[in-house]
Amino acid sequence: MDSYKFGTLSDGRPVTAWRLRNRTGASLVLLDYGAAVQSLTVPNGRGGVTDVVLGYDTAAEYEENGGFFGAAIGRVGNRIAGSAFVLDGKPYHLTANEGPNQLHGGPDGFHRRMWRAEPEGERMVFTRISADGEEGYPGNLTVRIAYELLDGNALRITYDAETDRATPVSLTNHSYWNLHGGGDILSHELQLNAEAYTEIDAAWIPTGRLLPVAGTPLDFRRSKAVGRDLDADFAQLRLAGGYDHNYVLHGAAPAARLYGPETGIVMTVETTAPGVQMYSGNSITPRTGKGNAALGAHSGICLETQCFPDAVHHDAFPSPILRPGEHYHSVTTYAFSTAP
């Protein structure tokens, strides 16, 4: 493991990168800004290696550009309707950053924070205290995120948190995956172990209904190309401008399997979370990424393991509420292999 200066933010704070390597040819670069995955290079099926995550070459680009590229997301991943909720009879008002709603913890969520980074054996651990009132959330939340690059070419992310007041928590990582290392992901083949999804309204907020995927373009129970049904005349796809839906995981592993036919790379996702947001990169703003790569719509696909979106407003959803004396713990593993 080695570290180097990655750049500086607009206020002069330095950003440090850490590089982890394993014995089987993979390497992982992490930033203390946003606790972000900047690069993940894995062996491909064509005799070389491929960087499978989108990102930027400089700290300034991470600070200036949106999209949450590779970042840790919190306190609550995904959307909260009206940027408000009531907990134990008390109303809380959050900072909005998507119209009237809050997305991914607010404009200055975990993705825009500096984290304390410390090596712990062969893994890198990022910690911070999210203060009471940060982005409107109650309680002081102590967060710990550990990244491990396993010798079997797998990235394991472990999320832990504790609080001194009841607060919603749903931590995830917002890496955009592209198993070809460039171009779009429309030919990537995806399988999701999910029988249902959370229906959304015109503001991408769950209605509270869990609908079956069977007979719809949202059915990925059998592997199919991401782009095959992307433009289908289906109300949920029209509302989101493509795929941007929370899938209700069925429980068996793996939660997801993604295959890039050009490189032969296979990524399988296992998680303890109850849901996964599949986002087909519909709104990626055209810009330049790492190595002058052209980024734009469908340049990457997100598989964000999570509690269900807007769960603070839906009692039937798995509860995101963490209370004093309880321990938040979630693990997601992205494992890489090759196929013809």
Side-chain angles (χ1 to χ4, degrees), residues 164-182:
D164 60 5
R165 291 176 61 191
T167 187
V169 180
S170 177
L171 306 178
T172 190
N173 178 270
H174 204 287
S175 286
Y176 285 89
W177 304 100
N178 186 318
L179 304 186
H180 296 161

Side-chain angles (χ1 to χ4, degrees), residues 214-247:
T216 78
L218 274 70
D219 190 351
F220 283 89
R221 291 174 298 171
R222 292 186 177 180
S223 183
K224 68 177 182 181
V226 173
R228 193 186 83 176
D229 299 324
L230 187 67
D231 296 322
D233 186 14
F234 185 67
Q236 286 289 296
L237 289 178
R238 292 197 303 271
L239 287 173
Y243 296 105
D244 193 2
H245 294 82
N246 172 68
Y247 282 80

Side-chain angles (χ1 to χ4, degrees), residues 80-81 83-87 90-94 136-138 167-168 312-313:
I80 294 180
S83 301
F85 61 91
V86 176
L87 178 56
K90 182 176 179 179
Y92 293 93
H93 298 279
L94 309 176
Y137 289 98
T167 187
V312 291
H313 293 130

Side-chain angles (χ1 to χ4, degrees), residues 250-309:
H250 197 53
R257 180 184 185 274
L258 187 67
Y259 170 63
E262 291 183 12
T263 57
I265 296 174
V266 177
M267 181 179 80
T268 57
V269 183
E270 296 188 12
T271 185
T272 59
V276 59
Q277 187 83 8
M278 194 274 271
Y279 174 51
S280 53
N282 318 312
S283 302
I284 298 175
T285 303
R287 57 171 70 100
T288 301
K290 289 183 294 188
N292 293 318
L295 304 180
H298 313 306
S299 292
I301 182 172
C302 295
L303 295 167
E304 304 155 62
T305 57
Q306 60 181 9
C307 292
F308 297 175

Side-chain angles (χ1 to χ4, degrees), residues 5-29:
K5 184 176 179 180
F6 188 74
T8 46
L9 301 178
S10 58
D11 61 6
R13 287 178 297 169
V15 175
T16 301
W18 281 263
R19 182 183 288 109
L20 287 68
R21 297 182 176 89
N22 68 8
R23 300 191 193 98
T24 45
S27 66
L28 171 68
V29 177

Side-chain angles (χ1 to χ4, degrees), residues 1-2 4 22 91 101 112 116 135 171 173 216 219 225 230 233 248 269 306 311 334 338:
M1 185 185 304
D2 61 278
Y4 56 93
N22 68 8
N101 307 317
R112 290 183 58 85
R116 180 179 178 182
E135 298 298 290
L171 306 178
N173 178 270
T216 78
D219 190 351
L230 187 67
D233 186 14
V248 180
V269 183
Q306 60 181 9
Y334 305 90
T338 58

